[in-house]
Amino acid sequence: MGFKHIGKDVQYRPDVLERVTGEAIFIDDIKLPGMLYAQILRPKYAHAKILSIDTVEAEKMPGVYKVITGKGWEKHYGDCIKDMMPMVVDKVRHIGDALAAVVADTEKHARDALKKIRVEYEPFPVCTDAMEAIKENAYLIHENSDEYFHVSPLYEPIPKTNIAVHYRIKKGDAVKGFKEADVVVEREFNFPLMSSAAIEVHGAIALFRMDDTIEIWTSNVGAFAVREEVANLFDLPISDVRVHMPYIGGCFGYKSDPSLGPLIAYIASFVPGHPIKLRVSRQEDFTSTFLGRGIRTKMKIGAKKDGTFTAMEAKLYLSTGAYADTGSNVLIVATQSAGGVYEFSNADVTGYSVYTNTPPVGALRAYGHPEIQFALERLVDIVARELDMSPTDVRKKNFLSVGKSNVVGETMKKSDGDLYKCIDNVERAIFSKERPEEDENYYYGRGIAGLIKSPKAPTFAAKGCHIKFNVDGSVSVNMSGADVGQGLFVLVRQITAEALKMPLEKVRVYNEIDTQFSPWEWQTVGSMFTFQGGNAIIKAANKAIEMLKKNAALVLHRDVNVLEYDGNYVYDRSYPDVKVLVSRICRGYIMKDGTTIGDVVQVSSDFRLPGAQNPDPETGMGRTGVSYTMGVQGCELRIEKKTGKVIIDNFATSIDIGRVINPSNARGQVVGGVVMSIGETLMEEIKFDKNGKLINANLLQYKLPTIYDMPGKQTIEFVETHDEIGPFGARGIGEHPMVGVAPAILNAIYDAIGYDFYEIPVTPDKIKAVIGGDTEAR
Amino acid sequence: MKNITLMLNGKKETIYFEEGDTLLYVLRDRIGLMGTKFGCGYGACGACTVVINGEAVRSCKVLFKTLEGADILTIEGLTEGKKLHPIQQAFVDANAVQCGFCTPGIVMELYALFSKEPDASDDRIKEVLSKHLCRCTGYESIFTAAKLVQKTESYSKQDKKDFERAAKLAREYIKE
Ligand code: FES
Ligand code: FES
């Protein structure tokens, strides 16, 4: 297929000039007339009953308009589990909860007044780990979790325990499968809590108007989700809430946190007529928005002598945090992904989402997938060792491919990807030369891991697209996908231009999302935009072309079926001279006497994952993924003997993404994702003290990777097995590069020093403890 | 409120502020220059970097009251009309901008570096970039952009002279 714009490096993203000059408007750049500032009081304890909150002194402070608490509020909110409130009422459950707020003329005045609020607490025992919170005698974090609204039985808790959600997948007969195995290996793994930590912190502004409508500006990537949540909270028609989404300074999942919208709206409801702005501090960005990951896994694999896997059993424990609405989805996704890129005819996987006294867990780039595939891909290496097979051979023996079925029982299609091509690419990049022998300064190692990901979202999640033809034949496209830096706007431009056979310059893409004008979409998460958004564009473009042809038929006196469209003209296929300019018919056609015929060409469309279903309540299986993307990652690394530092010389990624729409941006996603994941593998971890305080909630102690942590080189090869449904055969790539990094590195570390790590981050200290013979830090 | 006079993006300005204001706060909240970004407030991320008297500085760590007579350049001062500064152009060409939140700070950092050391070594470039956090790009494209700047003839020779001339003029202007 010859494309004009697809697969080409269109580096000039429509938004790049604004971003590179500092002109782009992010949430904190918005100032509105009459705007006031809110600051939030966070509790002293991570788990306590609130006995009293005294705000009298705070109210007298300079500049203060209002001091607000949750007192008297009754309504809970949440998408799948309604266990949250805009502000806490009688109990705090984690150190970042919203206890009280001050609204003042400046941020500083609001902060000063916070210090005058007096709170009396009755502290309760604190529990920050699922393994503790799940114990029978554990202190309950939500006493009556069964009384909350749950969207379906899948989200029901076990009453009088801290278990918010439990989900089991049973495929085949695992007991029998293990009996057939020649080798059975079992290990425990830990993927700790971490933060998306975008460089832009969260922020929001809310305005309660006199007519009871609410207007919100937010850094949240789900403008429509915020709108629904806030409307429900205040019993308003959804149409009375209007949400704006400006430019977003990086998302990585946590900017889908639903809590800031309800919080700022609640605060603003006490000060109608004033826009109220809340920009959280970097510390609050850690303590009071989503964290990610936090899953412990116990996994067991059985295999025959020839390497064929016979069964897999896994138990997953998510420390879901103080509220389980979003974390429970992370847990469900992780459970569904337990089989990774391999076929297991027999599997028994159970996941528990457990309330803990930490900030709630939510989406973090590829959520659910890296956690479990970290365990799986490490264990597969250990199985290979037991069988005396090479790690690549065991993998090839069990890879999913056309006709095989994954853990939830979905049969793989050709377009889900070609793992054999991917592993070939990675083998060529990483394993084609001999591994260097240990020398005076370094140990050398190489490792590999498979990866699989599907978009995970409610079955109804869709993307919308509005296309409007202008009278000069240019088009305006409105959608609601957030460009958080991944290059979404240029992708919209490329796909629209391709579908409408136009030059890129004639396509103008939106750069602000406004629920009053933008078409509905669920949220920009799950690497779904290319697939769903791209298809929504093509559907809209086709509708527009149909309309143009109908208009042309009236003008040219031809049957619609004989007409063709080429971007400039609609013409008769057999007599190309019989034609009319698109610009003459896109607002209808004006005849000599002024009479106008035909329709104005502005169209609307949408696209969702076709046929996605909820899992079967009995077996936990079903069409829950629908569209898969698979790949392989691997690396060559060195470990410095003196320091224990891991130096990655080459990191290879090969993923089958159907079709590459924009090579430079696709590479950018992988390069950035791999480095982000190197961060979680080697340095990042949210740490708590025994009272549930985050002890490293700042960018000095919570180390993000710097330029010194980037691999010596990244080898990236995309495989392009045409996707029958994807737009021009394409699927997304935003999150996938995160999935195989940690196991590939830890497998390589084993290769280098012969030591198995089961937990990340693997810091230099931990390695030194191993190679230096000191066992303490293990 | 107090005031001081300084050079801001090539213009002499008298600016009002309050005692504890940081430069970042004055830029963003008092005079509305929003291109300089807040990422942490304590010198860890580099998003707030501006150039003061030729040096790249974290504006969140500088008290405004110390800046009497200083020559300050922010991202807004880099473009001339519609013409991107060569460093910005290199970022566009290398596709080194993803969300763009770290970009103004990094561009200013490189501006200060290349003004003094147009031929800075790779190690030196990495050293200054290591003071900046970017969560999106994985740094590869940013490093490429920096190298691209060095290859841009117009930048390495002429711009350095421009910068020195401007800085000298500024100092004289403020003295008088
Ligand atoms: S905001 Fe100044 S260094 Fe982060
Ligand atoms: S481009 Fe997003 S933080 Fe650097």
Side-chain angles (χ1 to χ4, degrees), chain A residues 11-13 19-20 28-29 31 195-196 250 252 282 484-485 664-665 667-668 672 684 698-699 705-706 708, chain B residues 28-29 35 37 39 42 44 75 84 88 92-93 95 97-99 101 126-127 130 135-140:
Chain A
Q11 291 186 351
Y12 290 77
R13 294 160 39 192
R19 292 188 202 264
V20 82
D28 194 36
D29 305 333
K31 274 191 171 182
S195 169
S196 295
F252 315 107
R282 175 52 73 178
V484 296
S664 169
N665 285 351
R667 181 179 169 91
E684 293 178 40
N698 63 70
L699 291 178
T706 72
Y708 286 138
Chain B
R28 295 187 50 83
D29 289 76
K37 298 299 181 198
Y42 41 74
I75 190 81
L84 290 184
Q88 293 171 311
V92 174
D93 293 342
N95 206 7
V97 182
Q98 285 193 18
C99 78
F101 207 78
K126 282 192 183 158
E127 186 189 329
S130 74
R135 196 56 153 167
C136 299
T137 62
Y139 304 102
E140 184 185 271

Side-chain angles (χ1 to χ4, degrees), chain A residues 699, chain B residues 24 37-49 58-61:
Chain A
L699 291 178
Chain B
L24 178 63
K37 298 299 181 198
F38 167 93
C40 66
Y42 41 74
C45 73
C48 64
T49 303
R58 309 283 172 261
S59 65
C60 69
K61 298 258 285 181

